[in-house]
Amino acid sequence: MSRPRILIQFDSDPQPSTFDAVVAVDAGVEQLFRHGSINEDNITGLVHGAMFTRGGDDLKSTALFIGGTNVSEGEALLSAVQKAFFGPVRVSVMLDSNGCNTTAAAAVLSAGKHLDLSSTTALILGGTGPVGRRVARLLARQGAAVRIGSRSPERAAEAAAEVAVDLNDVHIEGVSTAGDEAMTAALADCQAIFACGAAGVQLIDQNAIQRASAIKLLVDLNAVPPAGIEGVEATDKGAERDGRVAYGALGVGGLKMKIHRAAIERLFQTNDQVLDADQIYAIGEALLANG
Amino acid sequence: MSRPRILIQFDSDPQPSTFDAVVAVDAGVEQLFRHGSINEDNITGLVHGAMFTRGGDDLKSTALFIGGTNVSEGEALLSAVQKAFFGPVRVSVMLDSNGCNTTAAAAVLSAGKHLDLSSTTALILGGTGPVGRRVARLLARQGAAVRIGSRSPERAAEAAAEVAVDLNDVHIEGVSTAGDEAMTAALADCQAIFACGAAGVQLIDQNAIQRASAIKLLVDLNAVPPAGIEGVEATDKGAERDGRVAYGALGVGGLKMKIHRAAIERLFQTNDQVLDADQIYAIGEALLANG
Amino acid sequence: MSRPRILIQFDSDPQPSTFDAVVAVDAGVEQLFRHGSINEDNITGLVHGAMFTRGGDDLKSTALFIGGTNVSEGEALLSAVQKAFFGPVRVSVMLDSNGCNTTAAAAVLSAGKHLDLSSTTALILGGTGPVGRRVARLLARQGAAVRIGSRSPERAAEAAAEVAVDLNDVHIEGVSTAGDEAMTAALADCQAIFACGAAGVQLIDQNAIQRASAIKLLVDLNAVPPAGIEGVEATDKGAERDGRVAYGALGVGGLKMKIHRAAIERLFQTNDQVLDADQIYAIGEALLANG
């Protein structure tokens, strides 16, 4: 008889997310250990407690989830978790701070239903943030030409370089989106726009979109009005907007949730999984392939 | 197959109550998410996590419980929770900070076993506090004439006005209980005394009770000696004391616990319940009616 | 139908131990209530919540576990828990801060597989700390002559007196281990050495051990290199080292874990268990006797 499935929720916020907790339970977690205010100093002992309590095949019935609103802190925690492992004595771990990985995967997979990503040029507005970088990475790995947009061309270029650093044969560049002229240039020959900026901030207006005649797809990941892409509703899910296909944050939310649950389930298959952007995208891809 | 029943325990104290947690488990909660140090600033995101994770009929399998020793903070949290809801996208919620609602319901229902509340005049000692106000409200809604007693007649009058504010055709007045003369006047023609003061504080002595010949029922909700009503034992449960029926805090505790469990169960019947004093009283009434 | 088995984890550290939590689940705990930052001021109400929620035979389905890295704080919490009980209205409780009791029990039981403890003289290095004192107590109760070693002879003597205070007919003395001469005297006629010092601190070297010809058994409870006893590996489990039997921290870990799980299970048999060093040793003894 196998051990109960335990998920240890490490959250960088003082109050651990209830969202992540409900999804964990709905993915079959039987015992959820919830920790808030987790940082690089206090996580190691908690990881050791997960590693040194179950042996052999039972080790895969304990897993770790890293969440919280701050994705950078989450990334630091993922790194700290991996340092705490001793060779094969380890447990599976998933990073989804602020829903970054499941959201990015759902956004790109939704786009892939309408466009051949390998021949797509995409502009990512608010592209220097953690979700934008993940969308950029996933698109680039599918063969798309990716433009990371930012009001600061320096930060855009820096983000593009950082996203590309461990990828081969990808096309990622940083572009300025400050002002009409720059935006028009950034949109030239683009088929898709992804808006990954802060909540409640409009990143592009209707005029700019109308000028970009090649645009076929709009994906706005901002759920808080006003929309990041003017004219896209949060509930849009493949909706037609002025001849273009539109997705809003809630429109990709159903797929995001399915990917989140499937990723939690995956954690318990072996004890050595590290689920970050690429792995979570692959889980979503498999979900769509299997219907 | 329905989702596991999740209760999110929001406690305003740093350490969430173990009492409320055990009762939740014994009421059939399968997964309990416990949060301490909850306030109006950090609760909204946690409520959203409950609202946006399960859809359709499954939404009713997630519910909220608000507890903690400070009832005023609990009331503020209940208000914040309701503000966080988006129309029908909501989950059921129960307030029972410091056991205020289950205790008040059990006290009034216990009294109703011995008196016709619709023709009863009752004095509530320590009546301006949260439990006293709830007892006043419940009694008044049953048709009793209610006197909210306090050493400060101003605070008594204020509390009476506040309790009456959303009720129709009720008889609630504030009375002074400072000194023998005021107490005698406050007790004139009363059939019942409820003591709802601070733990370990005697609110009325035997002499005052003996002078009030119409008194038939004494309900003391203070569990910590000395008793709030001199001569009543915490374990009294319909005990006879000098020809009067007496209830102590532990004496109403059994019914209180049943009401608490039944209220938790009720939370999971639909996703739109708001269980405060009136609703929890009605649950207790149904329990007694069903034996 | 019996109530779900609830264990309330009281941890003196800010983040409650995941180690203790996993072991609890694997010992059959169905609902685990986890509390960090527990101290003598905030524990009483939480204990009352455990005591006053279930009645009669159900009371034994709620139990308490005290953990955390600081054993002294754990001992103070155990004392506070017992003060919170009201006569027979109590729940079972186990103390294992820093694994002190399960480790000491496993160490002494492992030694007993190789030596007749009733005729053994044992030196306990780092013997004034909480694990060392527990090893001393358990050995002395089995009839061994016990030397509590410390670099400070005053602290050694003090610890010896404190360990002996509630025991009858035991042989416990404090000895200095500061310098070669003192160490040689401390080891005279000893058959066993237990190292119970701080992590990563060597307490005795090969030269000193070689000079002590009567030594047959080495038990080192330090898991962090360098070893507390030079030449003992953390994984040693009855290994032969220069003609002596050796145990390291991981070598006693398997038995320690079995004892920990069995002790958790024991908590739920009656509502009045207090599991500290002696009781946990007895549980381990029974485990070995039953195979």
Side-chain angles (χ1 to χ4, degrees):
Chain A
M1 196 188 65
S2 67
R3 299 283 189 192
R5 284 186 296 285
I6 293 173
L7 186 71
I8 305 179
Q9 180 183 9
F10 291 133
D11 201 301
S12 56
D13 296 337
Q15 300 286 349
S17 161
T18 54
F19 185 101
D20 293 335
V22 174
V23 177
V25 165
D26 287 347
V29 167
E30 290 163 285
Q31 295 279 351
L32 184 63
F33 301 164
R34 308 176 71 220
H35 293 261
S37 297
I38 291 296
N39 56 48
E40 292 172 83
D41 293 326
N42 62 20
I43 199 170
T44 303
L46 299 171
V47 177
H48 286 166
M51 292 158 54
F52 294 133
T53 33
R54 290 171 160 183
D57 199 49
D58 289 330
L59 195 51
K60 74 171 196 285
S61 296
T62 305
L64 312 178
F65 177 89
I66 298 170
T69 49
N70 188 316
V71 180
S72 302
E73 290 180 19
E75 290 169 336
L77 291 177
L78 179 59
S79 172
V81 162
Q82 293 178 281
K83 276 187 203 133
F85 292 154
F86 288 177
V89 183
R90 57 191 294 144
V91 292
S92 287
V93 57
M94 168 178 178
L95 170 66
D96 201 31
S97 295
N98 212 26
C100 60
N101 282 323
T102 50
T103 300
V108 174
L109 286 163
S110 295
K113 293 179 180 175
H114 303 276
L115 296 175
D116 174 0
L117 297 178
S118 68
S119 61
T120 293
T121 298
L123 173 64
I124 305 176
L125 299 171
T128 60
V131 173
R133 287 169 184 241
R134 283 170 162 77
V135 168
R137 178 185 179 91
L138 298 177
L139 286 169
R141 291 183 72 240
Q142 298 305 307
V146 177
R147 296 175 188 163
I148 293 184
S150 169
R151 296 178 60 84
S152 155
E154 293 77 21
R155 287 180 44 220
E158 189 180 54
E162 287 174 8
V163 170
V165 75
D166 67 337
L167 299 175
N168 293 320
D169 291 325
V170 292
H171 301 280
I172 309 179
E173 61 178 328
V175 298
S176 171
T177 56
D180 286 353
E181 204 172 320
M183 183 65 89
T184 300
L187 283 168
D189 306 316
C190 273
Q191 288 83 42
I193 304 176
F194 293 78
C196 308
V201 176
Q202 181 181 295
L203 298 174
I204 188 166
D205 62 19
Q206 277 293 335
N207 288 335
I209 298 169
Q210 299 311 339
R211 283 196 301 270
S213 57
I215 294 295
K216 296 177 182 159
L217 183 74
L218 306 169
V219 181
D220 184 3
L221 299 178
N222 167 20
V224 180
I229 301 175
E230 193 184 11
V232 176
E233 297 286 330
T235 52
D236 281 352
K237 184 177 174 183
E240 190 267 320
R241 296 275 171 199
D242 280 328
R244 300 183 177 88
V245 175
Y247 281 85
L250 303 181
V252 302
L255 179 56
K256 174 204 180 304
M257 190 75 90
K258 280 181 197 154
I259 295 172
H260 190 159
R261 280 199 295 264
I264 298 284
E265 289 170 14
R266 178 69 58 85
L267 288 171
F268 297 100
Q269 292 186 0
T270 63
N271 73 314
D272 59 358
Q273 317 235 7
V274 178
L275 305 187
D276 201 344
D278 297 352
Q279 296 80 12
I280 290 171
Y281 180 84
I283 288 168
E285 222 173 7
L287 270 183
L288 292 187
N290 296 328
Chain B
M1 196 188 67
S2 66
R3 299 282 189 192
R5 284 184 297 286
I6 293 174
L7 186 72
I8 305 179
Q9 180 183 9
F10 291 133
D11 201 302
S12 56
D13 296 336
Q15 299 286 347
S17 162
T18 54
F19 185 101
D20 293 336
V22 174
V23 177
V25 166
D26 287 348
V29 167
E30 291 163 283
Q31 294 280 351
L32 185 62
F33 301 164
R34 307 175 71 218
H35 293 261
S37 297
I38 291 296
N39 55 49
E40 292 172 83
D41 293 326
N42 62 19
I43 199 169
T44 303
L46 300 170
V47 176
H48 287 167
M51 291 158 53
F52 295 132
T53 34
R54 290 172 160 181
D57 198 49
D58 290 330
L59 195 51
K60 73 172 197 280
S61 297
T62 305
L64 313 178
F65 178 90
I66 298 170
T69 49
N70 188 317
V71 181
S72 302
E73 289 180 19
E75 290 168 338
L77 292 177
L78 178 59
S79 170
V81 163
Q82 293 178 281
K83 274 186 204 135
F85 292 154
F86 287 176
V89 183
R90 56 191 293 143
V91 293
S92 288
V93 56
M94 168 178 178
L95 169 67
D96 202 32
S97 296
N98 211 25
C100 61
N101 282 324
T102 50
T103 300
V108 174
L109 287 163
S110 296
K113 293 179 181 176
H114 304 277
L115 296 175
D116 174 358
L117 297 177
S118 69
S119 61
T120 294
T121 298
L123 172 64
I124 305 175
L125 299 171
T128 61
V131 174
R133 286 168 183 242
R134 283 170 163 77
V135 168
R137 177 185 180 90
L138 298 177
L139 286 169
R141 290 183 74 241
Q142 298 305 307
V146 178
R147 295 174 189 166
I148 293 185
S150 169
R151 295 178 60 81
S152 154
E154 292 76 20
R155 288 180 44 222
E158 190 180 52
E162 288 175 8
V163 171
V165 76
D166 67 338
L167 300 174
N168 293 320
D169 290 324
V170 292
H171 301 280
I172 309 179
E173 60 178 327
V175 297
S176 169
T177 56
D180 286 354
E181 205 171 319
M183 183 65 88
T184 299
L187 284 167
D189 306 316
C190 272
Q191 288 83 41
I193 303 175
F194 293 79
C196 308
V201 176
Q202 182 182 295
L203 298 175
I204 188 166
D205 62 19
Q206 278 293 335
N207 288 335
I209 299 169
Q210 299 311 339
R211 284 196 301 268
S213 56
I215 294 296
K216 294 177 183 160
L217 183 75
L218 305 169
V219 181
D220 184 3
L221 299 178
N222 166 22
V224 180
I229 299 175
E230 193 182 13
V232 175
E233 298 286 330
T235 52
D236 282 351
K237 185 178 173 181
E240 189 268 320
R241 296 278 171 195
D242 281 329
R244 299 181 177 89
V245 175
Y247 281 85
L250 303 182
V252 302
L255 178 57
K256 172 202 181 304
M257 189 76 89
K258 279 180 198 155
I259 295 171
H260 190 158
R261 279 199 295 265
I264 298 285
E265 290 170 14
R266 178 69 57 87
L267 288 172
F268 297 99
Q269 291 185 1
T270 63
N271 75 315
D272 59 357
Q273 317 235 6
V274 179
L275 305 186
D276 202 344
D278 296 352
Q279 297 79 11
I280 291 172
Y281 181 84
I283 288 168
E285 222 174 6
L287 269 183
L288 291 187
N290 297 328
Chain C
M1 196 189 65
S2 67
R3 298 282 190 193
R5 284 185 296 286
I6 293 173
L7 187 70
I8 305 178
Q9 180 183 9
F10 291 133
D11 201 300
S12 55
D13 296 337
Q15 298 286 348
S17 162
T18 55
F19 186 101
D20 293 335
V22 174
V23 176
V25 166
D26 287 347
V29 167
E30 290 162 284
Q31 294 280 352
L32 185 61
F33 300 163
R34 306 176 71 220
H35 293 261
S37 298
I38 292 296
N39 56 48
E40 293 172 83
D41 293 327
N42 63 19
I43 199 171
T44 302
L46 299 171
V47 176
H48 286 166
M51 292 158 54
F52 294 132
T53 33
R54 289 172 161 184
D57 199 48
D58 289 330
L59 195 51
K60 72 172 198 284
S61 296
T62 305
L64 313 177
F65 177 91
I66 298 169
T69 49
N70 187 317
V71 181
S72 301
E73 289 181 20
E75 290 169 337
L77 292 177
L78 179 59
S79 172
V81 163
Q82 293 178 282
K83 276 187 202 132
F85 292 154
F86 287 178
V89 182
R90 56 192 293 145
V91 293
S92 288
V93 55
M94 168 177 177
L95 170 67
D96 201 32
S97 295
N98 212 26
C100 62
N101 282 323
T102 50
T103 300
V108 174
L109 287 163
S110 295
K113 293 179 180 174
H114 302 278
L115 295 175
D116 175 358
L117 296 178
S118 68
S119 61
T120 292
T121 298
L123 174 64
I124 305 175
L125 299 172
T128 61
V131 174
R133 287 168 184 241
R134 283 171 161 77
V135 168
R137 178 186 179 91
L138 298 177
L139 286 169
R141 291 183 73 240
Q142 298 303 307
V146 177
R147 295 174 188 165
I148 292 183
S150 169
R151 295 178 61 83
S152 154
E154 292 76 21
R155 287 180 44 221
E158 190 179 53
E162 288 174 9
V163 170
V165 75
D166 67 338
L167 300 175
N168 293 320
D169 290 324
V170 292
H171 300 280
I172 308 179
E173 60 177 329
V175 298
S176 171
T177 56
D180 285 354
E181 205 171 319
M183 183 65 89
T184 300
L187 283 168
D189 305 318
C190 272
Q191 287 85 42
I193 303 176
F194 293 79
C196 307
V201 176
Q202 181 181 296
L203 298 174
I204 189 167
D205 63 18
Q206 277 294 333
N207 287 335
I209 298 169
Q210 298 311 339
R211 283 196 303 270
S213 56
I215 294 295
K216 294 177 181 159
L217 183 75
L218 306 169
V219 181
D220 184 4
L221 299 178
N222 167 20
V224 180
I229 300 175
E230 193 184 11
V232 176
E233 297 286 331
T235 52
D236 282 351
K237 185 179 175 180
E240 190 268 319
R241 296 279 172 197
D242 281 329
R244 299 182 176 89
V245 175
Y247 281 85
L250 303 182
V252 303
L255 179 57
K256 173 202 181 302
M257 190 75 89
K258 280 181 197 155
I259 294 172
H260 190 159
R261 280 199 295 263
I264 298 285
E265 289 170 13
R266 178 68 58 86
L267 288 171
F268 296 100
Q269 292 185 358
T270 63
N271 74 314
D272 59 358
Q273 316 236 6
V274 179
L275 305 187
D276 201 345
D278 297 352
Q279 296 80 11
I280 290 171
Y281 181 83
I283 288 168
E285 222 174 6
L287 270 183
L288 292 187
N290 298 329

Coordinates of all heavy atoms in Angstrom, one line a residue, chain C residues 213-252:
Chain C
S213 N 41.3 0.1 25.9 CA 41.2 -1.2 25.3 C 39.9 -2.0 25.6 O 39.5 -2.9 24.9 CB 42.3 -2.1 25.9 OG 42.3 -2.1 27.3
A214 N 39.1 -1.5 26.6 CA 37.9 -2.2 27.0 C 36.7 -1.8 26.1 O 35.7 -2.5 26.1 CB 37.5 -2.0 28.4
I215 N 36.9 -0.8 25.3 CA 35.8 -0.3 24.5 C 35.4 -1.3 23.4 O 36.2 -1.7 22.6 CB 36.2 1.1 23.8 CG1 36.4 2.2 24.8 CG2 35.1 1.5 22.8 CD1 35.1 2.6 25.6
K216 N 34.1 -1.6 23.4 CA 33.6 -2.6 22.4 C 32.6 -1.9 21.5 O 32.3 -2.5 20.4 CB 32.9 -3.7 23.2 CG 33.8 -4.6 24.0 CD 33.0 -5.7 24.7 CE 33.9 -6.5 25.6 NZ 33.1 -7.2 26.6
L217 N 32.0 -0.8 21.9 CA 30.9 -0.2 21.1 C 31.1 1.3 21.1 O 31.3 2.0 22.1 CB 29.6 -0.5 21.8 CG 28.3 -0.1 21.1 CD1 28.0 -1.0 19.9 CD2 27.1 -0.1 22.1
L218 N 30.8 1.8 19.8 CA 30.9 3.3 19.6 C 29.6 3.7 19.0 O 29.2 3.1 18.0 CB 32.0 3.6 18.6 CG 33.4 3.1 19.0 CD1 34.4 3.3 17.8 CD2 33.9 3.8 20.2
V219 N 28.9 4.7 19.6 CA 27.6 5.2 19.0 C 27.8 6.7 18.8 O 27.9 7.4 19.8 CB 26.4 4.9 19.9 CG1 25.1 5.4 19.3 CG2 26.3 3.4 20.2
D220 N 27.7 7.1 17.6 CA 27.9 8.5 17.3 C 26.6 9.1 16.7 O 26.2 8.7 15.6 CB 29.1 8.7 16.3 CG 29.4 10.2 16.0 OD1 28.8 11.0 16.6 OD2 30.3 10.4 15.2
L221 N 26.0 10.0 17.4 CA 24.7 10.6 17.0 C 24.8 11.8 16.2 O 23.8 12.5 15.8 CB 23.8 10.8 18.2 CG 23.5 9.5 19.0 CD1 22.7 9.8 20.2 CD2 22.8 8.5 18.1
N222 N 26.0 12.2 15.8 CA 26.2 13.4 15.0 C 26.2 13.0 13.5 O 27.1 12.2 13.1 CB 27.6 14.0 15.4 CG 28.1 15.0 14.4 OD1 27.3 15.6 13.6 ND2 29.4 15.3 14.4
A223 N 25.3 13.6 12.8 CA 25.2 13.2 11.3 C 26.0 14.1 10.4 O 26.1 13.8 9.2 CB 23.7 13.2 10.9
V224 N 26.5 15.2 10.9 CA 27.2 16.2 10.1 C 28.7 16.0 10.2 O 29.2 16.1 11.3 CB 26.7 17.6 10.5 CG1 27.4 18.6 9.6 CG2 25.2 17.7 10.5
P225 N 29.5 15.8 9.2 CA 30.9 15.7 9.3 C 31.5 16.9 9.8 O 31.0 18.0 9.6 CB 31.4 15.5 7.8 CG 30.1 15.1 7.1 CD 29.0 15.7 7.8
P226 N 32.7 16.8 10.6 CA 33.3 15.6 10.9 C 32.5 14.8 12.0 O 31.7 15.4 12.7 CB 34.7 16.0 11.5 CG 34.4 17.3 12.1 CD 33.4 18.0 11.2
A227 N 32.8 13.5 12.0 CA 32.1 12.7 13.0 C 32.4 13.1 14.4 O 33.5 13.6 14.7 CB 32.5 11.2 12.8
G228 N 31.5 12.8 15.3 CA 31.7 13.1 16.8 C 32.8 12.1 17.3 O 33.6 12.5 18.1
I229 N 32.8 10.9 16.8 CA 33.8 9.9 17.2 C 34.6 9.6 15.9 O 34.1 9.1 14.9 CB 33.1 8.6 17.7 CG1 32.3 8.8 18.9 CG2 34.2 7.5 17.9 CD1 31.5 7.6 19.4
E230 N 35.8 10.0 15.9 CA 36.7 9.8 14.7 C 36.6 8.4 14.2 O 36.8 7.5 15.0 CB 38.1 10.3 15.0 CG 38.9 10.4 13.7 CD 40.4 10.8 13.9 OE1 40.9 10.7 15.0 OE2 41.0 11.1 12.9
G231 N 36.4 8.2 13.0 CA 36.4 6.9 12.4 C 35.1 6.2 12.3 O 34.9 5.2 11.6
V232 N 34.0 6.8 12.9 CA 32.7 6.2 12.7 C 32.0 7.0 11.6 O 32.1 8.2 11.5 CB 31.9 6.4 14.0 CG1 30.4 5.9 13.8 CG2 32.5 5.6 15.2
E233 N 31.4 6.2 10.7 CA 30.6 6.8 9.6 C 29.2 6.9 10.0 O 28.6 6.1 10.7 CB 30.7 5.9 8.3 CG 32.1 5.7 7.8 CD 32.6 6.9 7.1 OE1 31.8 7.7 6.5 OE2 33.9 7.2 7.0
A234 N 28.6 8.0 9.5 CA 27.1 8.2 9.8 C 26.3 7.1 9.5 O 25.3 6.8 10.1 CB 26.6 9.5 9.1
T235 N 26.6 6.3 8.4 CA 25.8 5.2 8.0 C 26.1 3.9 8.7 O 25.5 2.9 8.5 CB 26.0 4.9 6.5 OG1 27.4 4.8 6.2 CG2 25.4 6.1 5.6
D236 N 27.1 3.9 9.6 CA 27.5 2.6 10.3 C 26.3 2.1 11.1 O 25.6 2.9 11.8 CB 28.6 2.9 11.3 CG 30.0 2.9 10.6 OD1 30.0 2.6 9.4 OD2 31.0 3.3 11.2
K237 N 26.0 0.9 10.9 CA 24.9 0.2 11.6 C 25.3 -1.1 12.1 O 25.1 -2.1 11.4 CB 23.7 0.1 10.7 CG 22.4 -0.4 11.3 CD 21.3 -0.4 10.3 CE 20.1 -1.1 11.0 NZ 19.0 -1.1 10.0
G238 N 26.0 -1.1 13.2 CA 26.6 -2.4 13.7 C 27.9 -2.7 12.9 O 28.3 -3.9 12.9
A239 N 28.5 -1.8 12.3 CA 29.7 -2.0 11.5 C 30.9 -2.3 12.4 O 30.9 -1.9 13.5 CB 30.0 -0.8 10.6
E240 N 31.8 -3.0 11.9 CA 33.0 -3.3 12.6 C 34.1 -2.3 12.3 O 34.4 -2.0 11.1 CB 33.5 -4.7 12.3 CG 34.6 -5.2 13.1 CD 36.0 -4.9 12.6 OE1 36.2 -5.0 11.3 OE2 36.9 -4.5 13.3
R241 N 34.6 -1.6 13.3 CA 35.6 -0.6 13.1 C 36.7 -0.9 14.1 O 36.6 -0.7 15.3 CB 35.0 0.8 13.5 CG 33.9 1.3 12.6 CD 34.4 1.9 11.3 NE 33.4 2.2 10.3 CZ 33.6 2.4 9.0 NH1 34.8 2.3 8.5 NH2 32.6 2.6 8.2
D242 N 37.9 -1.4 13.6 CA 39.0 -1.8 14.4 C 38.6 -2.7 15.5 O 39.0 -2.5 16.7 CB 39.6 -0.5 15.0 CG 40.5 0.2 14.0 OD1 41.1 -0.5 13.1 OD2 40.6 1.4 14.1
G243 N 37.8 -3.7 15.2 CA 37.4 -4.6 16.2 C 36.3 -4.2 17.2 O 35.9 -4.9 18.1
R244 N 35.8 -3.0 16.9 CA 34.7 -2.5 17.7 C 33.4 -2.4 16.9 O 33.5 -2.2 15.7 CB 35.0 -1.1 18.3 CG 36.2 -1.2 19.2 CD 36.5 0.2 19.8 NE 37.7 0.1 20.7 CZ 38.9 0.3 20.3 NH1 39.3 0.5 19.1 NH2 39.9 0.1 21.2
V245 N 32.3 -2.5 17.5 CA 31.0 -2.3 16.8 C 30.7 -0.8 16.8 O 30.8 -0.1 17.8 CB 29.9 -3.0 17.5 CG1 28.5 -2.8 16.9 CG2 30.2 -4.5 17.6
A246 N 30.3 -0.3 15.6 CA 30.0 1.1 15.5 C 28.7 1.4 14.9 O 28.2 0.7 14.0 CB 31.1 1.8 14.5
Y247 N 28.0 2.5 15.4 CA 26.8 3.0 14.9 C 27.0 4.5 14.7 O 27.5 5.2 15.5 CB 25.6 2.8 15.9 CG 25.0 1.5 16.0 CD1 25.6 0.5 16.7 CD2 23.9 1.2 15.2 CE1 25.1 -0.8 16.8 CE2 23.4 -0.1 15.2 CZ 23.9 -1.1 16.0 OH 23.4 -2.3 16.0
G248 N 26.5 4.9 13.5 CA 26.4 6.4 13.2 C 25.0 6.9 13.3 O 24.0 6.1 13.5
A249 N 24.8 8.2 13.1 CA 23.5 8.8 13.2 C 22.4 8.1 12.3 O 21.3 7.8 12.7 CB 23.5 10.3 13.0
L250 N 22.9 7.9 11.0 CA 21.9 7.3 10.1 C 21.7 5.8 10.4 O 20.7 5.2 10.1 CB 22.4 7.5 8.6 CG 22.7 8.9 8.2 CD1 23.1 9.0 6.8 CD2 21.4 9.8 8.4
G251 N 22.8 5.2 11.0 CA 22.7 3.8 11.4 C 21.6 3.5 12.4 O 21.0 2.5 12.4
V252 N 21.4 4.5 13.3 CA 20.3 4.3 14.3 C 19.0 4.9 13.8 O 18.0 4.8 14.4 CB 20.7 4.9 15.7 CG1 21.9 4.3 16.3 CG2 20.8 6.4 15.6

